[in-house]
Amino acid sequence: MNNQNMFPLRMLGFGFYWAWLFLTCVSPSLILDQEPVLGLPFEAAELVFRLIFIGAILIVSKKASSDFVRRLLFVLSLACGLLSSILVVVGIAELSVVTVILLGMTDACMFMLWMCFFGNNHIGETAIYLASSYALGAVVCILISALYHPIALGCTLLLPIFSALAFRLSHKSHGGDEEDEREYVSEGSLSFRLFPFIRRISLALCMYALVFSLVTSVIASNGLESYLVGPFVEAPCCIVVGLALAIAFHNLRDIQMVYRIYRFVPLALSLGLACLLFQISSMTTVSCFLVMSAYLAFEILALNDLCNEVKLRGLSPVNVFGRARAMITLGMLLGWLLGLLSQTVSHLLSPPLFAVVLGVPVVVIASTLVFTEKEIFAVRSATDERQIIEDASNAESAGTRGRGANDSSQENDITSFGAAWNLSNREKDVLPLLLSGKTATYISEKLYIAPGTTKTHIYNIYRKLGVHSKMEMFDMFEDYKSRNGTDDGLR
């Protein structure tokens, strides 16, 4: 069965996970009476144990084979998911700590299971899966919450089982494709530390997750008036954002347009925080929608770009996604704890002002120091590289758009092209390889320079040419050649 035929099953499987998460682990719950656990709100307690188990998974992954880790994650997802759902539905107060522990383990295992599987998909597919699954999970969550309460609880029991079974069927059908997927991976398995933007995107996820969680925690902890809060807002946001991104990634002809969303995330988060200051129900609801939509969009884009790097560089999916999920969880936990702190300092700062005073600097730091334009360029370049590699692999014929620079007759054109745009000597060394469709990894090895230095040279070339992708650069070079390097062809 091919990828396209398996899409509904995979989307359903990951969607069931998100629906289960919304119904059991997100506060305030749509269907459950969640009592504090260990002195913390139910969701905050679950985040603590989720973080612990993610760390345990990362440790185990260093000692065991990827096949063993995948099987372990599958078994734990199925067993812990069923047991935790039963305990949640039964609601025995004495077992609340056990319930939260099992929920944290299920959450950690099931997310890692699906994300490691998605890491093998072709370009754009991961984003479509993620976005569609978020939207579908939200729809399932809303439908279940609208059912008669005992029936809704029964459906919640089945969600982790359905998700695990969907994964099993998807992975079994996908097994024959794994060998073909390997040809897209760059030569060698490079160290995690060689790609600093992965650390930066993970840190940005942590900081934006903190703001996302802080707003919910401040509203819930202080009883601020709002028409909707928590999953009541998050589920509709997932539907809107998920469908919008799925449609955007489905049309890969203008994939660079999608990356502009990264730039709007800080603005939307800041506006959302500002809306809290009005302290009226309607504006508080608007604040929730803005903050949650912005964070969800960033999370989907970031996870998709991490999938690109896993595939392109031959990195460990458990390592990359485990660190990213750990940072997301840490950010959400800090947000909840700070939200609880807002109660104790309410005599000094009103809770909305407290959220703004803490949240705005976090957004500014994340967007200006952590995940800057240079990092956006880096993740966008990874998308370009994967697209070119996959196009080259799928098209056996020669003469694709990036290969004309290999002909000796074009060497003079490349030289004059680089000189016309005032490229440095090192940038002129990189340019012919870029125009031949080579990846940043290949260029690093060919020119004996560090991957980070290579990406800086590529970034500077794009900036001087005024383009944002390899495809735009190819078009610009072809136009330059057709005009024989005249002034009209340079602009």
Side-chain angles (χ1 to χ4, degrees):
M1 191 175 296
N2 60 36
N3 266 3
Q4 191 172 12
N5 290 335
M6 291 304 300
F7 174 78
L9 182 59
R10 295 172 185 172
M11 183 181 68
L12 278 171
F14 203 36
F16 288 147
Y17 158 73
W18 286 113
W20 171 84
L21 186 68
F22 288 146
L23 291 168
T24 59
C25 299
V26 179
S27 299
S29 175
L30 291 167
I31 62 172
L32 302 174
D33 294 326
Q34 297 174 326
E35 297 295 329
V37 178
L38 299 176
L40 295 172
F42 193 88
E43 182 176 351
E46 188 270 333
L47 290 169
V48 171
F49 290 107
R50 183 203 300 177
L51 190 60
I52 292 172
F53 287 116
I54 291 173
I57 292 170
L58 288 173
I59 293 173
V60 171
S61 67
K62 293 182 179 180
K63 307 291 184 180
S65 67
S66 58
D67 184 63
F68 173 81
V69 173
R70 184 177 64 246
R71 292 176 185 274
L72 179 64
L73 291 175
F74 173 76
V75 172
L76 290 177
S77 296
L78 186 59
C80 295
L82 180 58
L83 289 174
S84 62
S85 294
I86 291 175
L87 291 178
V88 165
V89 171
V90 173
I92 300 177
E94 291 76 11
L95 295 177
S96 58
V97 176
V98 177
T99 302
V100 173
I101 291 174
L102 288 172
L103 286 172
M105 183 180 292
T106 305
D107 191 346
C109 292
M110 195 168 290
F111 178 87
M112 295 290 292
L113 188 70
W114 278 107
M115 287 307 303
C116 290
F117 177 61
F118 286 151
N120 281 326
N121 290 319
H122 292 279
I123 183 171
E125 287 181 357
T126 298
I128 295 174
Y129 280 129
L130 289 174
S132 301
S133 298
Y134 276 49
L136 179 66
V139 171
V140 172
C141 171
I142 292 172
L143 291 177
I144 289 178
S145 64
L147 297 174
Y148 179 55
H149 193 257
I151 298 177
L153 294 176
C155 291
T156 303
L157 281 173
L158 298 175
L159 288 175
I161 299 174
F162 288 160
S163 181
L165 292 177
F167 173 84
R168 178 62 180 168
L169 292 174
S170 297
H171 185 268
K172 185 176 180 180
S173 299
H174 185 69
D177 297 330
E178 290 183 351
E179 289 297 324
D180 294 335
E181 295 289 348
R182 293 175 188 171
E183 64 185 277
Y184 298 113
V185 178
S186 299
E187 295 182 3
S189 182
L190 302 179
S191 170
F192 188 88
R193 63 183 174 82
L194 293 180
F195 300 94
F197 89 80
I198 294 182
R199 293 197 299 271
R200 285 178 173 268
I201 201 172
S202 298
L203 181 56
L205 277 168
C206 177
M207 299 178 78
Y208 288 140
L210 188 156
V211 176
F212 164 75
S213 183
L214 174 64
V215 170
T216 301
S217 180
V218 166
I219 293 173
S221 301
N222 295 278
L224 300 184
E225 293 186 3
S226 177
Y227 295 123
L228 299 170
V229 69
F232 297 91
V233 178
E234 192 169 349
C237 287
C238 277
I239 296 174
V240 175
V241 174
L243 289 177
L245 287 179
I247 293 171
F249 272 95
H250 184 67
N251 181 10
L252 288 177
R253 285 175 293 181
D254 193 17
I255 192 67
Q256 303 306 324
M257 181 75 71
V258 178
Y259 284 98
R260 296 178 185 174
I261 296 174
Y262 272 133
R263 299 186 182 93
F264 290 104
V265 168
L267 176 61
L269 289 173
S270 299
L271 288 175
L273 288 168
C275 289
L276 281 178
L277 297 176
F278 288 90
Q279 299 189 44
I280 57 177
S281 298
S282 58
M283 294 305 292
T284 303
T285 304
V286 171
S287 172
C288 290
F289 270 103
L290 284 173
V291 170
M292 292 184 181
S293 296
Y295 172 72
L296 288 169
F298 186 87
E299 182 178 85
I300 293 173
L301 285 174
L303 292 175
N304 173 71
D305 287 320
L306 290 176
C307 282
N308 282 339
E309 283 299 312
V310 165
K311 184 72 174 294
L312 191 63
R313 315 298 178 193
L315 302 175
S316 165
V318 175
N319 189 3
V320 174
F321 295 125
R323 292 176 187 233
R325 187 61 169 172
M327 295 301 284
I328 292 172
T329 304
L330 177 61
M332 289 186 173
L333 178 59
L334 291 174
W336 266 100
L337 296 178
L338 289 172
L340 294 176
L341 180 62
S342 67
Q343 292 179 295
T344 63
V345 299
S346 58
H347 61 287
L348 299 175
L349 287 175
S350 67
L353 183 58
F354 178 87
V356 173
V357 168
L358 289 181
V360 170
V362 171
V363 172
V364 171
I365 293 172
S367 59
T368 60
L369 297 178
V370 177
F371 198 67
T372 64
E373 183 68 22
K374 189 172 182 179
E375 278 65 49
I376 295 174
F377 161 78
V379 296
R380 193 170 55 200
S381 294
T383 300
D384 283 341
E385 290 182 23
R386 279 198 62 184
Q387 189 167 7
I388 290 171
I389 291 171
E390 290 176 6
D391 288 346
S393 178
N394 293 331
E396 295 292 333
S397 60
T400 55
R401 299 173 68 185
R403 297 180 180 175
N406 288 323
D407 298 330
S408 58
S409 60
Q410 295 189 17
E411 290 181 1
N412 291 334
D413 288 327
I414 295 175
T415 301
S416 61
F417 182 68
W421 293 97
N422 298 319
L423 300 186
S424 69
N425 290 334
R426 205 48 164 163
E427 290 163 2
K428 290 176 182 176
D429 292 336
V430 173
L431 181 63
L433 296 171
L434 272 180
L435 288 171
S436 65
K438 302 302 182 184
T439 66
T441 303
Y442 179 91
I443 296 172
S444 298
E445 296 172 354
K446 185 73 173 177
L447 299 180
Y448 301 101
I449 55 179
T453 304
T454 301
K455 288 187 178 294
T456 298
H457 289 319
I458 297 173
Y459 174 79
N460 289 333
I461 290 173
Y462 284 15
R463 179 176 55 80
K464 290 178 181 179
L465 296 180
V467 298
H468 300 90
S469 69
K470 283 186 178 179
M471 292 303 175
E472 290 182 26
M473 182 183 64
F474 293 154
D475 289 337
M476 189 174 185
F477 179 62
E478 291 299 324
D479 183 60
Y480 175 85
K481 288 195 304 178
S482 68
R483 296 173 184 266
N484 297 318
T486 61
D487 289 342
D488 290 338
L490 299 178
R491 302 297 173 187

